[in-house]
Amino acid sequence: MKARGTPKGRSVDPKALEEVRALLGAAPRRRDLLIEHLHRIQDKYGHLSAARLAALAQEMLLSMAEVYEVATFYHHFDVVKEGEQAPPALTVRVCDSIACEMAGAQDLMKKLPSILGKDVRVIPAPCVGRCEDAPCAVVHQNPVGKATPAKVRAAVAGKSRACPEPAYVDYAAYRKGGGYKLLADCLAGKRKREQLTKIMEDSGLRGLGGAGFPAGRKWRLVAAEAAPRLMAVNIDEGEPGTFKDRWYLERDPHRFLEGMLVAAWCAGVGEIYVYLRDEYAGCRAVLARELAKLQQNPPCALPPIHLRRGAGAYICGEESAMIESIEGKRGMPRLRPPYVAQVGLFGYPTLEHNMETVHWVREIVERGAQWFAAQGRHGRKGLRSFSVSGRVAQPGVHLAPAGITVKELIEEYCGGMLEGHEFYAYLPGGASGGILPAAKGDIPLDFDTLQPHGCFIGSAAVVILSQHDQAAAAARNLMKFFKEESCGQCTPCRVGTAKALALMDEKRWNQPLLGELSQAMMDASICGLGQAAPNPVLCVIKYFPHEVQ
């Protein structure tokens, strides 16, 4: 039998290996850094060739299958197989989620290819978190708000490679305004963990990423677990209609960082991981720079803080999928129990928080639990950062009392409806929070108030529809999003979203079949994506039957 001339499997190209080694430099080759290293290659060459993937696998002592499955899971990695042509050097992503579609994204996408030419790739993208500036296009990593063909062409001509940075409170200004004094007092023994945890509990602060779990209780649960403990901060706000985390990060990053460090101290956390969605390149630059300033001139001893970059996957907003991604894997939700507070990141007890939740910590401690609890309206407690988009005069993040109604929100904070538009319907909680008619516009917007109507507030992303829109069309857009963003792990979600979308494309909906399918998805899906995806469908059937009969 003739001996093989090369080892079995894919041979590694020496040139590709040299390129990968040069890019990685002295960086560790740990398994959890796989996504970070894939970003280095993607950023440098604009795609991931088969040869460089094989070289990376060898360099990290991983199988090709491990590298390939991760690289092909995330939207922002362009994997080029052998014999395939690499994509153009420049890509323009046009957001086609609900707010941008209402603002004309489809028309923009049709016009751009002929205007920009064959050397620029134009592709649709899920929500990029700039719904107040709809429609939005992203030229490489540079967002173009209220995009027109002329504005996108100008951005392409400028070959802009970085997001424009807004003015923000930097480290020096934050310290001058009393920043990090709370953290320093905590570490100096002037504050007690029990005292701060009790303040959080009394304030009624709940997780503002969508789940609404009481923050103080979460600190207690994690602190009760055996050390070492870790913390994972979720800034992967991919829910269509949501952009509040970006809004705060662009303006006051250290308020979030101090709240994060205080929460970590209260829960006895020894190491922190911050997971930021890849679409927020400008925020990433700011955070990296400000973290460096904080670590170079710390107000007190700090735990290790790691900034990790997502790669375009809505599912990573789910806490266990985010943890899988931080570990360098595909972002697939874990079965529970155990919960992440018990067995989380790298197998350790993990305090998982949304960015906005910890953003409030300093102010609540300084002003008192009762100050925050007294802010609500209609019997509710606290404040909510509403990401408002759609047919209002003043879209944006509006800080308003918890329990405010959508009618009050529109009139008092959003400058009313756009001229020529009448309030018709609204999404109270982003893509998965359902759709309600204007007649239900007097329901207090808060946790637990919308469930009797088949909806929930989630991350407080409110999208306003007018008489020029259709709830059924909005629901189809949302189901298309869920179909494309399903991780594919469980059959009810993977197959259910695709089947539901096909049924919704019919002029007359098969309502009994859609109802049966929705129940199966809600009962059997592993995580919240599949469980909540039917909400818009069921709301249209219940509240807008005239649109689908």
Side-chain angles (χ1 to χ4, degrees):
M1 185 175 179
K2 188 178 179 180
R4 295 178 60 91
T6 58
K8 191 175 182 181
R10 184 183 298 274
S11 59
V12 176
D13 178 68
K15 183 174 183 297
L17 184 59
E18 182 181 340
E19 292 170 344
V20 168
R21 284 176 174 168
L23 274 177
L24 268 54
R29 269 59 167 170
R30 297 196 317 267
R31 176 67 173 82
D32 62 290
L33 292 173
L34 174 57
I35 294 173
E36 297 294 311
H37 294 339
L38 287 169
H39 273 304
R40 291 180 185 223
I41 300 172
Q42 175 79 33
D43 289 346
K44 172 70 174 178
Y45 297 103
H47 65 279
L48 302 173
S49 68
R52 295 188 187 103
L53 288 178
L56 181 62
Q58 177 171 305
E59 188 67 10
M60 296 188 70
L61 302 180
L62 298 173
S63 70
M64 184 63 180
E66 287 178 282
V67 174
Y68 187 81
E69 72 175 6
V70 172
T72 54
F73 182 84
Y74 296 92
H75 297 315
H76 292 181
F77 292 141
D78 291 308
V79 177
V80 178
K81 300 176 183 177
E82 287 184 358
E84 289 185 346
Q85 186 174 357
L90 186 61
T91 295
V92 174
R93 289 181 166 86
V94 179
C95 176
D96 66 354
S97 287
I98 180 69
C100 286
E101 180 163 281
M102 290 166 61
Q106 295 300 330
D107 184 57
L108 178 65
M109 206 159 357
K110 289 176 183 176
K111 292 177 178 177
L112 284 178
S114 60
I115 293 172
L116 301 179
K118 63 181 180 180
D119 293 331
V120 178
R121 178 176 59 161
V122 179
I123 59 175
C127 186
V128 297
R130 294 186 177 270
C131 314
E132 81 277 26
D133 286 329
C136 184
V138 182
V139 179
H140 186 57
Q141 294 182 344
N142 180 28
V144 181
K146 294 182 172 56
T148 63
K151 289 177 72 172
V152 175
R153 181 168 55 189
V156 169
K159 294 183 172 58
S160 179
R161 290 286 173 175
C163 294
E165 293 178 5
Y168 64 90
V169 181
D170 66 6
Y171 184 56
Y174 186 74
R175 288 290 300 272
K176 188 176 180 180
Y180 291 108
K181 183 180 185 302
L182 172 60
L183 177 65
D185 286 350
C186 289
L187 271 74
K190 297 178 181 178
R191 299 277 191 169
K192 302 298 181 184
R193 288 184 169 92
E194 174 60 28
Q195 174 199 14
L196 264 62
T197 303
K198 185 71 164 55
I199 289 173
M200 289 303 113
E201 291 175 332
D202 292 346
S203 73
L205 179 67
R206 296 172 65 171
L208 298 172
F213 194 87
R217 191 190 310 171
K218 186 178 284 191
W219 295 4
R220 286 194 189 280
L221 289 172
V222 174
E225 297 292 326
R229 309 173 195 91
L230 303 178
M231 182 175 187
V233 182
N234 193 335
I235 321 181
D236 194 63
E237 56 173 0
E239 181 86 2
T242 308
F243 48 94
K244 61 183 178 60
D245 291 353
R246 171 186 60 79
W247 187 275
Y248 286 122
L249 272 177
E250 287 178 340
R251 289 157 176 79
D252 199 357
H254 286 281
R255 188 167 296 271
F256 142 66
L257 290 173
E258 183 172 15
M260 172 188 79
L261 289 162
V262 170
W265 175 78
C266 281
V269 164
E271 197 162 353
I272 300 172
Y273 288 79
V274 179
Y275 189 86
L276 178 65
R277 72 181 307 206
D278 195 33
E279 288 84 351
Y280 292 171
C283 292
R284 186 168 64 251
V286 168
L287 264 184
R289 181 164 55 249
E290 294 304 311
L291 269 173
K293 293 177 183 177
L294 172 63
Q295 291 164 333
Q296 289 164 8
N297 182 28
C300 53
L302 301 175
I305 304 171
H306 310 277
L307 180 58
R308 289 297 175 85
R309 179 179 173 185
Y314 165 70
I315 191 63
C316 290
E318 196 276 339
E319 60 178 6
S320 64
M322 176 192 66
I323 284 172
E324 289 285 302
S325 191
I326 292 173
E327 293 179 356
K329 305 170 188 173
R330 294 176 294 171
M332 288 191 166
R334 297 176 179 177
L335 291 170
R336 285 165 288 187
Y339 297 95
V340 298
Q342 303 162 311
V343 181
L345 189 56
F346 305 119
Y348 297 117
T350 301
L351 176 64
E352 190 274 343
H353 265 316
N354 169 257
M355 174 263 162
E356 196 210 343
T357 309
V358 293
H359 170 90
W360 283 106
V361 168
R362 176 189 164 190
E363 193 158 5
I364 290 173
V365 172
E366 289 181 346
R367 303 182 71 167
Q370 293 311 309
W371 165 80
F372 186 79
Q375 298 300 312
R377 189 178 291 187
H378 302 301
R380 311 305 297 177
K381 294 182 178 182
L383 293 165
R384 294 289 175 268
S385 302
F386 292 96
S387 304
V388 185
S389 60
R391 311 299 191 182
V392 291
Q394 298 171 15
V397 172
H398 298 290
L399 185 62
I404 193 172
T405 70
V406 71
K407 289 180 180 178
E408 292 169 338
L409 184 65
I410 292 170
E411 293 304 317
E412 296 177 32
Y413 290 85
C414 302
M417 297 290 292
L418 278 173
E419 187 176 349
H421 291 263
E422 298 174 7
F423 182 34
Y424 173 64
Y426 68 109
L427 283 65
S432 53
I435 307 175
L436 290 171
K440 296 282 185 182
D442 293 318
I443 302 169
L445 296 175
D446 197 16
F447 298 112
D448 312 320
T449 60
L450 294 156
Q451 280 84 338
H453 307 277
C455 299
F456 58 82
I457 192 171
S459 57
V462 179
V463 185
I464 305 298
L465 279 60
S466 77
Q467 80 276 19
H468 300 297
D469 305 304
Q470 274 201 331
R476 275 193 296 271
N477 177 280
L478 302 176
M479 188 58 72
K480 175 177 174 288
F481 170 82
F482 289 130
K483 171 184 175 290
E484 293 171 350
E485 293 298 318
S486 172
C487 74
Q489 181 178 191
C490 68
T491 303
C493 177
R494 181 185 67 249
V495 177
T497 51
K499 181 63 176 176
L501 182 60
L503 290 170
M504 294 166 73
D505 281 336
E506 300 292 330
K507 187 174 182 180
R508 291 173 61 91
W509 288 10
N510 186 334
Q511 296 183 31
L513 186 55
L514 274 169
E516 185 179 345
L517 178 62
S518 296
Q519 193 63 52
M521 292 171 64
M522 291 187 292
D523 289 344
S525 295
I526 289 174
C527 81
L529 191 155
Q531 294 165 8
N535 286 342
V537 181
L538 297 175
C539 284
V540 169
I541 292 173
K542 182 176 182 180
Y543 298 115
F544 307 92
H546 57 282
E547 292 189 8
V548 294
Q549 289 178 349

